[in-house]
């Protein structure tokens, strides 16, 4: 029987647990590990699976999940022996910027404070850590109470990475989704420069000279000029729609769409799907918008 369609589902674990249709993009994991870069920035149009791929990375690397989980059984990464030693071995910081309000600088700061408090709540076990000192535990408590100044807020994520590194004894993987959303939504507003400065401080503190960092992955729609928020980051590997590396990781390829049509009992519909939806090219690969194909 054909698998159910994951319409609107962006959580990798839910897709695998519920046996939804999943087009295997797990080779992204082995490519990241073999490339060995410190910070990756992936920019692609909307609805090309950026959030789902970050969710997949979280499921594979996050130490909070059991190593014997079945989510990757039968996928490409399961054939990578070198990858298995990294499976569920690292603390993860997973932060989504897309729902931050930017009607004003003040609203941005308030929303960011709330989201960072939620992030810390995922790691509130640090309050009982046998490694962290009382000052660090008080800081965690203050963030959870949302009692933190804007200047401290800019370094809250990098501070969390240090504490996670000290507690777990393993370096931290940082996943930032839709990093450009606050900048795009505040564009042309008087306070736009304030948002740029805020984002620059966050990015610099997390990704520049952070000894707690294993690697970071940043996704977004647009490639913000490096001097805007990534100034000083000489460890940033940019991958955009012109890049040949990772060119099959976002979106569906011809072969994948053909296989989907076959699974749903209509191989004869592949030419029609190709005519309608084969409208993109990333690097050397023709790709389809996954959302459009699923709707079709």
């Amino acid at each position: 029987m054909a698998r159910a369609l994951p319409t609107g589902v962006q959580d990798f674990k839910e897709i695998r647990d519920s046996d939804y249709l999943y087009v295997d993009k797990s080779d992204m994991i082995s490519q990241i590990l073999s490339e060995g870069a410190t910070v990756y920035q992936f920019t692609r149009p909307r609805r090309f699976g950026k959030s789902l791929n970050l969710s997949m990375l979280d499921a594979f690397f996050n130490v909070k999940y059991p190593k014997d989980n079945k989510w990757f059984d039968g996928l490409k990464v399961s054939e990578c022996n070198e990858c298995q030693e990294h499976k569920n071995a690292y603390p993860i910081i997973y932060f989504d910027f897309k729902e931050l309000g930017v009607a004003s600088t003040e609203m941005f700061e308030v929303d960011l404070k709330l989201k960072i408090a939620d992030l810390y709540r995922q790691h509130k076990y640090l309050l009982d850590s046998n490694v962290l000192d009382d000052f660090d535990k008080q800081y965690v408590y203050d963030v959870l109470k949302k009692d933190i100044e804007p200047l401290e807020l800019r370094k809250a994520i990098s501070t969390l990475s240090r504490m996670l590194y000290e507690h777990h004894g393993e370096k931290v993987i940082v996943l930032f989704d839709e990093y450009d959303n606050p900048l795009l939504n505040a564009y042309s507003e008087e306070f736009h420069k304030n948002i740029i400065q805020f984002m620059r401080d966050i990015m610099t503190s997390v990704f520049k000279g952070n000894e707690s960092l294993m690697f970071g992955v940043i996704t977004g729609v647009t490639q913000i000029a490096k001097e805007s928020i990534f100034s000083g980051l000489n460890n940033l590997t940019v991958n955009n729609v012109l890049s040949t590396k990772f060119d099959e990781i976002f979106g569906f390829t011809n072969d994948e769409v053909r296989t989907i049509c076959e699974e749903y009992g209509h191989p004869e519909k592949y030419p029609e799907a190709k005519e309608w939806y084969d409208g993109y090219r990333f690097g050397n690969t023709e790709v389809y918008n996954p959302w459009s194909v699923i709707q079709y």
Side-chain angles (χ1 to χ4, degrees):
M1 293 179 62
R3 292 168 290 177
L5 292 170
T7 306
V9 183
Q10 296 183 336
D11 183 72
F12 173 83
K13 302 181 297 299
E14 180 181 352
I15 287 176
R16 297 295 284 168
D17 284 338
S18 301
D19 196 28
Y20 285 117
L21 170 72
Y22 178 67
V23 176
D24 187 358
K25 300 296 180 179
S26 66
D27 194 44
M28 182 183 190
I29 296 166
S30 54
Q31 289 187 53
I32 284 177
L33 292 173
S34 63
E35 286 286 320
T38 307
V39 185
Y40 297 87
Q41 179 193 13
F42 292 101
T43 58
R44 295 293 190 278
R46 298 192 187 282
R47 292 179 167 173
F48 271 85
K50 299 186 298 296
S51 296
L52 178 56
N53 279 343
L54 281 193
S55 177
M56 175 190 66
L57 295 178
D58 174 65
F60 186 85
F61 288 108
N62 203 325
V63 69
K64 76 177 182 180
Y65 303 126
K67 281 183 173 291
D68 60 352
N69 69 72
K70 305 299 183 182
W71 298 320
F72 295 90
D73 288 4
L75 300 185
K76 294 175 185 175
V77 72
S78 65
E79 302 170 5
C80 173
N81 294 328
E82 295 80 5
C83 298
Q84 300 314 306
E85 64 182 277
H86 299 280
K87 188 170 184 286
N88 303 115
Y90 304 98
I92 298 283
I93 293 176
Y94 189 173
F95 196 82
D96 186 353
F97 286 88
K98 70 172 168 286
E99 295 180 358
L100 289 174
V102 290
S104 65
T105 303
E106 292 74 22
M107 175 177 284
F108 177 76
E109 291 177 355
V110 168
D111 272 12
L112 185 62
K113 186 180 295 187
L114 292 172
K115 287 209 62 143
I116 286 181
D118 287 340
L119 174 65
Y120 269 66
R121 190 167 292 107
Q122 297 171 28
H123 304 281
K124 64 182 180 181
Y125 56 83
L126 293 175
L127 290 170
D128 300 317
S129 174
N130 295 322
V131 178
L132 300 183
D133 59 30
D134 291 339
F135 295 103
D136 280 337
K137 292 178 181 179
Q138 182 62 49
Y139 183 83
V140 173
Y141 185 65
D142 290 342
V143 173
L144 290 173
K145 289 196 308 176
K146 308 173 187 64
D147 184 16
I148 180 173
E149 296 299 320
L151 287 177
E152 293 179 305
L153 192 60
R154 299 166 191 247
K155 296 184 180 295
I157 298 178
S158 62
T159 300
L160 178 60
S161 71
R162 175 187 59 78
M163 291 190 288
L164 289 173
Y165 180 31
E166 292 179 3
H167 176 80
H168 290 278
E170 294 286 352
K171 291 193 173 185
V172 178
I173 296 172
V174 177
L175 308 175
F176 279 175
D177 200 10
E178 303 289 357
Y179 83 97
D180 53 344
N181 189 69
L183 300 171
L184 296 176
N185 287 341
Y187 188 73
S188 79
E189 300 288 349
E190 293 182 0
F191 52 86
H192 185 235
K193 289 185 178 179
N194 296 338
I195 305 299
I196 289 176
Q197 184 61 55
F198 223 110
M199 292 296 294
R200 179 188 295 127
D201 291 346
I202 292 173
M203 295 293 175
T204 301
S205 66
V206 172
F207 296 118
K208 183 179 180 181
N210 185 353
E211 296 181 355
S212 305
L213 184 68
M214 174 69 175
F215 67 82
V217 178
I218 306 167
T219 70
V221 175
T222 56
Q223 186 175 325
I224 303 297
K226 187 172 182 179
E227 58 270 17
S228 293
I229 63 172
F230 296 115
S231 57
L233 288 187
N234 54 11
N235 59 345
L236 180 67
T237 298
V238 176
N239 186 279
N240 56 34
V241 296
L242 302 178
S243 303
T244 55
K245 293 181 179 179
F246 298 94
D247 57 0
E248 296 186 0
I249 296 301
F250 299 91
F252 293 165
T253 65
N254 278 314
D255 288 343
E256 289 166 346
V257 172
R258 183 184 291 109
T259 300
I260 292 171
C261 290
E262 291 172 354
E263 176 170 344
Y264 289 88
H266 289 284
E268 79 284 357
K269 290 291 186 179
Y270 168 70
E272 184 175 74
K274 180 175 177 59
E275 180 181 0
W276 288 359
Y277 302 116
D278 179 15
Y280 300 85
R281 186 177 184 86
F282 297 162
N284 292 327
T285 302
E286 294 180 35
V287 294
Y288 300 64
N289 181 301
W291 185 88
S292 297
V293 173
I294 288 174
Q295 294 301 312
Y296 171 74

